[in-house]
Amino acid sequence: MEIQDKILALREELTQHNYNYYVLDNPTISDFEFDLKLKELKRLEDENPIFFDVNSPTQRVGGMVTKNFPTIVHEFRMYSLDNSYSVEDLQEWEKRIEKALGEKVEFVCELKYDGASISILYENGQLTQAVTRGDGTQGDEITNNIRTIQSIPLKLKGNYPERFYMRGEITIPLNTFASINKERANNGLELYANPRNTASGSLKLQDNTEVAKRGLQCFPYYFIGNNLPYTTQWEMLQAADELGFKIPHTSKLCTSLEEVLAFVDYWDNERKNLPYETDGIVIKVNSFSQQDELGYTAKSPRWAMAYKFKAEAAETELLSIDYQVGRTGAITPVANLAPVSLAGTIVKRASVHNEDIIKKLDIRIGDIVYVEKGGEIIPKIVGVNTDVRQPETAEIEFIKNCPSCGTALIRKEGEAQHYCPNENGCEPQIIGRLEHFVSRKAMDIESIGGETAVLLHKANLLNNIADFYTLQKEDILPLERMAEKSAQNIINSVEKSKEQPFERVLYAIGIRHVGETVAKKLVKHFQHIDRLMHATMEELVSVTDVGEKIAISIKEYFKEEQHQIIIQRLRDYGLNFEIGEEAKPISDSLEGKTFLFTGTLTKFTRNEAQKMVEDHGGKNISAVSKNLNFLVAGDKAGSKLKKAEEIGTVSILTEDEFLIMING
Ligand code: AMP
Ligand code: ZN
């Protein structure tokens, strides 16, 4: 078989398996077989870059970084929805539209998926662009990120309109949301407030490999375009199914308002069993000709109405506030509540995040507060019933001193959180750092769980993370519940941890705001601890995913002498502070060379091209100047090409010439 045919056949086969798995929930081959085939396709594509296709199944796993998302004006505006909160509201709405139309209407009821809305353009059956709602008139282009969402078809099946936009909602499953927040808590990061923000935050991640990991879902609810062949909303939803979209089977065609109300009633309770969040129902006039006749107000269609569920809330008394100290010294206030039943569980505690939130809510001890449970791990206080407030209550004063060690707390400009600066004398911080160091995603020292670390610390054997490497079997043996074997295991696994790669070590040392992903990016960029320690602010923020806040935290960390000592000790014990061979960029053939891409690219996207440059040690720059070595010009290249020609020292390449340069 010709290579090209082979590639095409594999793509088709994998696309079908993907569809079976993610849309039909009915896989017909094992994950293992699927991975083998995907690897084979990847290999063929890598060896034959001229057959590159952005909509190949290999592109789903990510591997592209978007630094800035271009702004795109919506061809068809993305409207909001009008809200209703009661049966009476809905009855009035029905009356209003039937009066305007002079005839009866049918409705389609859909769940109101609580996520981020998206508009995806399909041209000739191919996904070509995806844009966020933004302000409804213009949004951000996030095509590379959207391609990683498995249930969104990259190529359509069946009989598709030539050109149209699919409108839908991107949501994050509740269990993924919970595990992301757990990880953020472990990393000392602020928690995401709710699944909706997390979904939209996920769509704007720069590295689409990370987007791919978030298990995002897409729920289509509308097609828009010129001369589409559908006559009703219901017909269009069925068509979406046939084109390969994953249609939630929760929608219903209703011939009367009574049926609509029954639907609302049913889901008010049943939604608690869904794996994603809904905050209401969307009711739409089924007939498109009736929709056209009703038209739009300035903000929303007249032919649709959202019905909002009452949030899950309970009232209870605020008993007291506790303050917890994290491993980075961050102080988190937690409210103790009089136990109350909320959405099936008894709630006794609620998070209040930080001082600003306490102030904003103006909660006081003894107040009757409203607690709500969204998709959050622990519920939160959303308001106060001031009508029943006791007269002698006082505003809550945020603590000034650490609840554990008594040191005066600090709060830096621009940060919401208070910190205890007593890094070395504050028990929860010391213990938190030790626990973090051995944890699974850090050094992964199996035989020392968090508990053993605390035990060793209490026995005065561990005071900082470098002390792990001076542990002696004789010192451990006398401890409670330690036998010869377990002591030896500890020594062995500490020894083995010296093989952990630099990125894990960097994460494990616990620099505030440096999570796993950032650690990886830093290692790839700086490659050696010395370069990272001496990096300027400018260099730091030039790394993908590193913003000013992270950069400052890194600089501050390395400025401290005691940190320098710990790092020196770890280096002496033989830990890795240099990038491993496997993690190094593919080659350094473009070292010191600068690139810029212009015009319409057809063989690869701008992001892919930029990644290729980085993978080979080159650098992307954003403007034509004397510093530019290569300008890769696609079709319709304009002013940049002209300027490069004028400068005279810039080499101008076609896309193919660039690929040859990369792949030889
Ligand atoms: P709002 O943001 O409250 O004005 O509500 C409008 C948003 O609801 C739209 O922009 C969509 O993103 C979202 N939405 C969720 N589910 C649906 C649905 N089934 N039909 C239409 N819009 C929906
Ligand atoms: Zn303290």
Side-chain angles (χ1 to χ4, degrees):
M1 223 197 287
E2 286 276 336
I3 298 264
Q4 184 177 14
D5 295 337
K6 214 163 155 183
I7 289 180
L8 292 180
L10 265 173
R11 278 181 191 155
E12 198 166 316
E13 192 189 341
L14 286 165
T15 300
Q16 183 62 39
H17 285 311
N18 223 54
Y19 176 76
N20 293 345
Y21 190 102
Y22 289 101
V23 178
L24 302 181
D25 286 326
N26 184 20
T28 54
I29 61 168
S30 70
D31 292 356
F32 179 72
E33 282 172 285
F34 182 89
D35 286 343
L36 278 186
K37 284 179 197 283
L38 191 68
K39 278 205 184 99
E40 167 73 359
L41 175 59
K42 177 94 177 56
R43 186 182 63 79
L44 289 172
E45 288 180 350
D46 287 347
E47 286 170 5
N48 304 279
I50 51 168
F51 300 129
F52 179 84
D53 180 350
V54 279
N55 284 336
S56 163
T58 54
Q59 300 302 304
R60 295 237 189 233
V61 294
M64 291 180 211
V65 171
T66 315
K67 268 262 170 184
N68 295 301
F69 299 101
T71 303
I72 304 281
V73 175
H74 293 297
E75 185 178 340
F76 300 93
R77 193 178 142 184
M78 294 182 81
Y79 285 89
S80 301
L81 290 171
D82 239 357
N83 288 320
S84 58
Y85 300 90
S86 65
V87 173
E88 293 74 42
D89 285 351
L90 290 178
Q91 286 166 336
E92 260 174 45
W93 176 61
E94 189 201 29
K95 265 206 207 115
R96 212 162 54 231
I97 53 179
E98 288 191 345
K99 188 162 169 233
L101 293 169
E103 56 190 8
K104 292 287 296 170
V105 289
E106 285 185 342
F107 301 98
V108 172
C109 290
E110 296 162 25
L111 296 182
K112 188 165 190 295
Y113 322 106
D114 203 9
S117 34
I118 189 76
S119 177
I120 303 182
L121 176 61
Y122 285 89
E123 292 172 298
N124 300 311
Q126 302 265 353
L127 186 158
T128 54
Q129 188 184 61
V131 181
T132 63
R133 169 162 130 179
D135 63 3
T137 317
Q138 53 180 43
D140 297 320
E141 202 233 74
I142 52 164
T143 317
N144 286 335
N145 288 354
I146 286 298
R147 282 205 175 91
T148 66
I149 300 176
Q150 299 278 6
S151 59
I152 296 181
L154 301 177
K155 293 179 189 195
L156 299 176
K157 306 157 97 66
N159 202 358
Y160 43 78
E162 197 180 303
R163 186 172 183 283
F164 70 99
Y165 294 88
M166 188 285 289
R167 297 275 166 85
E169 194 84 354
I170 307 291
T171 63
I172 192 157
L174 288 173
N175 56 3
T176 319
F177 171 70
S179 59
I180 291 175
N181 257 350
K182 200 163 151 215
E183 194 181 323
R184 289 182 71 85
N186 286 340
N187 289 346
L189 299 171
E190 231 170 280
L191 300 189
Y192 287 132
N194 55 46
R196 186 196 325 123
N197 294 354
T198 315
S200 45
S202 301
L203 290 180
K204 298 291 286 292
L205 290 170
Q206 295 188 337
D207 183 348
N208 72 345
T209 318
E210 296 302 315
V211 185
K213 288 185 195 151
R214 296 212 164 172
L216 299 173
Q217 303 275 347
C218 175
F219 297 114
Y221 51 72
Y222 209 63
F223 288 173
I224 192 160
N226 294 318
N227 306 319
L228 296 187
Y230 315 112
T231 58
T232 66
Q233 173 75 11
W234 190 248
E235 183 190 345
M236 196 204 64
L237 288 177
Q238 309 316 309
D241 192 27
E242 277 156 33
L243 301 189
F245 291 97
K246 186 172 176 122
I247 298 301
H249 294 287
T250 47
S251 308
K252 188 166 187 284
L253 177 62
C254 298
T255 49
S256 69
L257 193 70
E258 281 65 54
E259 280 179 54
V260 171
L261 297 179
F263 184 92
V264 166
D265 217 35
Y266 175 78
W267 283 105
D268 198 357
N269 200 28
E270 195 55 28
R271 71 194 160 107
K272 291 164 202 156
N273 299 322
L274 290 170
Y276 50 84
E277 286 235 302
T278 55
D279 59 343
I281 304 283
V282 184
I283 304 140
K284 299 173 182 169
V285 169
N286 187 33
S287 147
F288 284 163
S289 62
Q290 287 181 339
Q291 285 189 6
D292 284 345
E293 216 175 314
L294 290 166
Y296 295 80
T297 68
K299 270 179 49 215
S300 44
R302 288 200 187 86
W303 45 264
M305 181 60 85
Y307 172 87
K308 290 274 173 99
F309 295 127
K310 282 172 202 65
E312 288 293 318
E315 272 186 30
T316 189
E317 187 184 347
L318 172 62
L319 301 175
S320 62
I321 301 253
D322 280 345
Y323 296 86
Q324 294 176 344
V325 188
R327 72 172 163 87
T328 62
I331 308 290
T332 310
V334 177
N336 292 311
L337 307 168
V340 60
S341 167
L342 175 59
T345 53
I346 302 290
V347 171
K348 293 184 204 144
R349 285 158 82 75
S351 69
V352 246
H353 298 293
N354 58 49
E355 182 180 26
D356 293 347
I357 295 197
I358 293 180
K359 285 234 168 79
K360 202 169 114 208
L361 291 168
D362 184 25
I363 44 176
R364 302 174 183 200
I365 306 300
D367 270 351
I368 298 299
V369 294
Y370 301 113
V371 275
E372 254 185 35
K373 202 169 182 176
E376 291 87 305
I377 312 174
I378 71 169
K380 63 178 178 200
I381 296 182
V382 292
V384 181
N385 185 348
T386 43
D387 295 345
V388 297
R389 172 172 282 169
Q390 302 299 318
E392 66 278 14
T393 55
E395 278 176 34
I396 292 177
E397 286 242 15
F398 203 88
I399 47 166
K400 302 243 170 336
N401 296 81
C402 175
S404 176
C405 70
T407 307
L409 300 180
I410 50 168
R411 180 176 169 185
K412 294 212 186 90
E413 229 188 272
E415 298 219 5
Q417 219 131 25
H418 284 74
Y419 288 97
C420 165
N422 181 17
E423 222 190 289
N424 297 313
C426 185
E427 279 292 299
Q429 295 189 52
I430 298 172
I431 290 174
R433 282 195 302 270
L434 296 172
E435 285 170 337
H436 171 71
F437 189 79
V438 298
S439 66
R440 202 170 50 80
K441 290 183 168 171
M443 299 303 277
D444 190 19
I445 306 185
E446 303 159 11
S447 56
I448 310 187
E451 258 173 63
T452 313
V454 174
L455 192 72
L456 293 168
H457 169 67
K458 295 248 152 81
N460 217 4
L461 294 171
L462 278 182
N463 283 308
N464 61 54
I465 55 175
D467 294 343
F468 281 107
Y469 298 91
T470 55
L471 286 174
Q472 301 289 325
K473 197 160 85 179
E474 304 80 73
D475 300 331
I476 306 174
L477 264 177
L479 298 185
E480 212 180 315
R481 278 181 294 144
M482 275 300 163
E484 169 73 25
K485 186 144 176 268
S486 43
Q488 188 60 48
N489 279 345
I490 290 182
I491 300 296
N492 293 349
S493 57
V494 167
E495 187 59 28
K496 190 152 167 276
S497 75
K498 293 181 182 171
E499 292 162 22
Q500 292 290 12
F502 182 20
E503 61 196 45
R504 274 179 177 260
V505 178
L506 185 59
Y507 171 61
I509 60 177
I511 304 173
R512 187 178 294 162
H513 305 314
V514 175
E516 260 180 296
T517 311
V518 168
K520 274 188 198 146
K521 304 262 148 112
L522 289 168
V523 164
K524 192 146 187 183
H525 184 92
F526 291 102
Q527 307 206 0
H528 195 288
I529 187 79
D530 287 335
R531 284 190 53 204
L532 175 62
M533 285 174 86
H534 298 114
T536 61
M537 275 299 283
E538 235 180 357
E539 261 181 293
L540 286 168
V541 296
S542 79
V543 178
T544 314
D545 287 344
V546 177
E548 192 149 316
K549 185 162 138 189
I550 299 179
I552 291 175
S553 164
I554 295 170
K555 285 215 72 98
E556 282 184 351
Y557 181 88
F558 288 118
K559 212 164 61 195
E560 290 272 341
E561 196 187 343
Q562 45 163 329
H563 296 153
Q564 294 168 9
I565 293 171
I566 288 196
I567 287 178
Q568 190 53 51
R569 279 181 64 197
L570 294 174
R571 284 174 86 161
D572 293 342
Y573 300 134
L575 272 67
N576 286 314
F577 281 96
E578 199 177 336
I579 192 169
E581 276 312 316
E582 72 298 333
K584 278 204 177 134
I586 298 170
S587 85
D588 55 5
S589 62
L590 304 182
E591 175 92 48
K593 303 264 189 329
T594 58
F595 287 79
L596 178 61
F597 296 83
T598 187
T600 315
L601 304 174
T602 55
K603 299 267 152 79
F604 36 70
T605 66
R606 203 153 305 238
N607 292 320
E608 286 154 0
Q610 290 172 346
K611 175 154 191 301
M612 286 189 253
V613 168
E614 279 165 21
D615 279 346
H616 292 270
K619 191 175 159 195
N620 295 294
I621 59 178
S622 58
V624 180
S625 72
K626 289 207 182 72
N627 299 330
L628 179 64
N629 302 123
F630 296 96
L631 182 78
V632 181
D635 250 13
K636 304 201 190 103
S639 63
K640 286 187 180 149
L641 178 59
K642 203 160 151 245
K643 191 160 174 210
E645 283 167 347
E646 278 163 21
I647 291 181
T649 54
V650 182
S651 308
I652 292 157
L653 303 178
T654 63
E655 287 179 79
D656 282 326
E657 285 166 341
F658 169 73
L659 283 175
I660 290 169
M661 188 166 180
I662 295 274
N663 299 312

